[in-house]
Amino acid sequence: MKKVQKLEAILWSIAFPGFGQLLNRHLFKGFVFIFLEFIINVNSFFNQAIMYSFLGKIMDAELVVNHQWLMFYPCLYMYAMYDAYKFADGENPPYSYVPFAFGAYFVTVGLMYSPNKYFGIFFGPIWLPILSLIPGLAVGFIIRYFIIKYHSRQISS
């Protein structure tokens, strides 16, 4: 049976945590991720906050969202993506988890700082965490690069 490619697994995990696991035929893990996503989503009022944010009603999104529940989402989301990537077909590059982990860290920090204005703009609980993913991934890839470089130097000496 043909295995799922890494890009396909990542894209389905971006669409909904757990779908990548289902494609990889890890049914139990997939259903656990879907269940956890559902519980966090409902209790954090995440979909309503997304809807308000996309409609430009950022303050309404801030008022409706439950930050304590939403704080779980970045780690669940990024771990589900990493897990789907890891078990999909193809080579797993060394330390490939590092960008995913730093992405989760930065999105979580972005969520914590989301009630504040930056440069006179209120980004809210959806846009600031999304924008925080970009530097999180960049830092993760940079750290991964230096870890690989350090370990290759250790091996060659």
Side-chain angles (χ1 to χ4, degrees), residues 81-138:
M81 286 174 48
Y82 169 68
D83 183 76
Y85 172 85
K86 179 181 176 181
F87 290 104
D89 192 31
E91 182 185 342
N92 287 317
Y95 307 103
S96 58
Y97 58 88
V98 175
F100 290 98
F102 275 87
Y105 299 151
F106 275 64
V107 171
T108 302
V109 170
L111 183 59
M112 287 188 283
Y113 282 94
S114 67
N116 301 322
K117 280 187 175 184
Y118 297 95
F119 310 109
I121 301 170
F122 180 60
F123 292 98
I126 304 302
W127 296 116
L128 189 61
I130 288 173
L131 292 172
S132 300
L133 179 60
I134 297 164
L137 291 174

Side-chain angles (χ1 to χ4, degrees), residues 16-69:
F16 201 91
F19 282 6
Q21 285 72 21
L22 296 179
L23 282 173
N24 286 332
R25 292 175 186 75
H26 295 161
L27 301 181
F28 181 75
K29 266 197 295 189
F31 287 120
V32 167
F33 282 129
I34 290 169
F35 175 75
L36 290 172
E37 197 282 339
F38 178 77
I39 295 298
I40 294 168
N41 194 309
V42 168
N43 285 298
S44 67
F45 300 96
F46 190 39
N47 283 349
Q48 194 170 7
I50 291 172
M51 184 183 70
Y52 283 142
S53 293
F54 274 73
L55 293 174
K57 300 176 181 180
I58 308 298
M59 188 53 74
D60 289 343
E62 179 63 36
L63 294 174
V64 75
V65 78
N66 182 325
H67 283 83
Q68 289 186 347
W69 272 99

